[in-house]
Amino acid sequence: MINFNQPHLTGKEAHYMYEAVYEGKLSGNGKFTKRCQAWFEQRYGFRKTLLTTSGTDALEMCAMLCELQPGDEVIIPSYTFVSTALAFLREGAKVVFADSMKRNPNLDAGTLESLITPRTKVIVPVHYAGVACDMDAIMTVAQRHNLLVVEDAAQAIDGYYISPSDHSPITNYQSPMPLGGIGHLAAFSFHETKNITAGGEGGLLVVNDKRFVRRAEIIWEKGTNRAEFFRGEVNKYGWVDMGSSFLPSEVNAAFLWAQLENIDDIQNKRRQLWEYYYKQLQPLSEQGHFAMPDLPEYATNNAHMFYLVFPDFERRTAFIKYLKENGVGAVFHYLSLHSSEYYRTRHDGRQLPECDRYADCLVRLPLFYDLTLEQVDQICNTIQQFFA
Ligand SMILES: *Cc1c(COP(=O)(O)O)cnc(C)c1O
């Protein structure tokens, strides 16, 4: 059986975890946490980063930082993981679901204007499969209506946005822009299914807008100004705001550090596998059996996911079943959040047909570091047999 996913070890994880234990500091914000955060800030130019215990937690911190009032509206694609919406609902916001694009599952920026009301406060683009959303269009709408933008970059580590315009609305203009570095705030995930992992669960909050830096650190440290105290900026610390315990243990940060040291190797290997899939499957796609993953001209490929989009639900279901019977773990992905058991009675009734199409027709193929080109061949041969 070729599983859909398999976590990868670079070899140094246990070494660094032992080092953290041996040095006697296991709680959060120690040496490995600081090392990882400095690495993200240097490599991607993020203003301020804070490791979290999950991507969900990073999204919850983003939502808390937005200071929403009951009834404030947040625009989120319906084709995403539950956490994207949940983080904002927990803060009392009303979630307004947006449809996906025809060309790929990302939020359709062309529909944003029609969703904005006087209560709209935040837009949350999700870079599905690590592929950039149309950020020039999204940031233009956000600036016009004075809205915050929170990037759900859970899948988007090492992905970039390339502005096609000389008049990009992205203020600190630089191209390519790392995903997670464009909105006011962003969240990454280091869950075991993502490109790099902090040992199963982990995440990162990115603060790009300096107005949020101080409060982010306080929320992270259970509502206290302890981080300022440890830097010697205040002579006592105490309870100053809302917060929770969002810090991961040093054991997780140590695990993550081993992965960050090898990120280029991990990314190169994943990209090689992705491109091999693409080459092998293109002829079947040209025969009309399915659509290939879409990479707009403004997006780079971080090889988070290799997906296919089938013409209908029945053919996708038969395909997943056939692959399973032949030892290949292929899986579908999100169900539309607007018609979920929890949200359907809260949703305003608008149809979101592209989102429903991806929910019914998208399938993901195995893609992980330790997958071999021979196994990709085997998977592609099985796919050819299905259509023969
Ligand atoms: C994985 C993921 C999350 C949640 O991240 P966790 O680390 O599992 O909490 C949120 N949004 C998207 C789009 C994801 O893919």
Side-chain angles (χ1 to χ4, degrees):
M1 182 74 192
I2 302 173
N3 288 331
F4 169 67
N5 183 58
Q6 190 179 300
H8 168 62
L9 287 175
T10 66
K12 286 294 254 334
E13 286 83 356
H15 174 79
Y16 290 136
M17 287 158 75
Y18 179 84
E19 190 177 320
V21 174
Y22 187 78
E23 290 181 5
K25 158 80 173 140
L26 287 180
S27 60
N29 203 12
K31 176 174 100 179
F32 284 103
T33 297
K34 291 191 173 87
R35 201 182 274 179
C36 291
Q37 290 174 179
W39 185 92
F40 285 112
E41 288 161 17
Q42 274 155 29
R43 179 169 169 119
Y44 300 114
F46 300 148
R47 182 185 292 271
K48 172 80 181 170
T49 60
L50 294 170
L51 288 191
T52 59
T53 47
S54 67
T56 302
D57 269 359
L59 285 164
E60 287 180 7
M61 287 186 74
C62 291
M64 289 173 81
L65 286 165
C66 289
E67 296 192 77
L68 298 162
Q69 304 302 316
D72 281 350
E73 295 174 10
V74 180
I75 300 175
I76 293 175
S78 182
Y79 195 75
T80 183
F81 189 59
V82 177
S83 299
T84 321
L86 205 47
F88 290 90
L89 272 182
R90 281 166 54 94
E91 293 301 302
K94 178 179 168 207
V95 169
V96 175
F97 282 118
D99 206 359
S100 298
M101 292 193 282
K102 268 207 162 55
R103 65 181 297 179
N104 74 37
N106 283 339
L107 183 153
D108 186 347
T111 64
L112 282 175
E113 289 283 0
S114 71
L115 301 176
I116 289 171
T117 76
R119 298 306 305 267
T120 308
K121 291 284 148 44
V122 190
I123 305 172
V124 190
V126 179
H127 305 298
Y128 185 76
V131 174
C133 294
D134 184 352
M135 293 309 290
D136 273 0
I138 291 167
M139 297 307 284
T140 301
V141 172
Q143 285 177 9
R144 187 179 304 139
H145 298 274
N146 198 20
L147 308 176
L148 293 172
V149 173
V150 174
E151 296 176 72
D152 182 339
Q155 304 173 11
I157 190 70
D158 217 45
Y160 289 81
Y161 173 77
I162 304 162
S163 176
S165 158
D166 291 336
H167 308 285
S168 171
I170 299 167
T171 44
N172 50 339
Y173 180 78
Q174 151 203 354
S175 196
M177 292 275 289
L179 300 182
I182 303 169
H184 301 83
L185 299 162
F188 286 93
S189 168
F190 307 125
H191 184 263
E192 74 168 28
T193 53
K194 307 300 202 272
N195 290 25
I196 59 168
T197 176
E201 304 279 355
L204 182 79
L205 170 76
V206 177
V207 181
N208 296 311
D209 184 324
K210 64 174 181 296
R211 287 176 297 171
F212 298 110
V213 170
R214 177 163 188 264
R215 190 153 185 261
E217 217 171 44
I218 289 166
I219 289 174
W220 189 58
E221 279 276 23
K222 302 108 179 160
T224 73
N225 55 351
R226 183 155 69 174
E228 289 173 344
F229 174 71
F230 282 140
R231 283 197 300 265
E233 294 165 16
V234 291
N235 55 19
K236 58 180 171 39
Y237 83 85
W239 183 12
V240 295
D241 204 333
M242 287 294 286
S244 189
S245 182
F246 289 114
L247 296 78
S249 127
E250 276 291 288
V251 176
N252 287 93
F255 192 110
L256 180 64
W257 178 248
Q259 302 249 316
L260 295 181
E261 276 191 328
N262 285 281
I263 192 167
D264 291 323
D265 176 48
I266 292 170
Q267 290 298 89
N268 288 338
K269 177 73 193 295
R270 294 184 71 103
R271 236 176 259 121
Q272 183 193 23
L273 293 165
W274 195 100
E275 282 161 13
Y276 197 54
Y277 265 128
Y278 200 96
K279 188 165 142 259
Q280 302 279 86
L281 295 177
Q282 200 162 23
L284 285 170
S285 171
E286 279 161 8
Q287 289 163 33
H289 292 302
F290 47 70
M292 301 287 266
D294 172 57
L295 265 183
E297 52 297 344
Y298 52 77
T300 63
N301 182 16
N302 84 335
H304 173 59
M305 187 192 295
F306 197 92
Y307 68 81
L308 304 172
V309 185
F310 279 72
D312 55 53
F313 177 75
E314 288 69 29
R315 273 178 271 187
R316 184 193 70 175
T317 306
F319 178 81
I320 291 174
K321 182 163 173 282
Y322 183 84
L323 260 59
K324 193 171 175 205
E325 286 163 2
N326 288 277
V328 178
V331 292
F332 57 86
H333 210 183
Y334 305 130
L335 301 174
S336 301
L337 291 181
H338 69 281
S339 44
S340 62
E341 181 184 324
Y342 186 68
Y343 209 77
R344 65 176 170 241
T345 52
R346 295 164 169 87
H347 179 61
D348 54 27
R350 277 174 303 111
Q351 300 286 309
L352 304 174
E354 295 303 326
C355 170
D356 289 341
R357 184 170 64 84
Y358 293 114
D360 284 348
C361 304
L362 185 145
V363 58
R364 298 174 291 160
L365 300 177
L367 179 60
F368 50 86
Y369 184 92
D370 296 294
L371 191 69
T372 64
L373 291 176
E374 291 70 35
Q375 286 175 310
V376 175
D377 265 332
Q378 186 190 329
I379 295 164
C380 293
N381 288 340
T382 308
I383 293 173
Q384 266 142 18
Q385 281 159 26
F386 174 77
F387 290 106

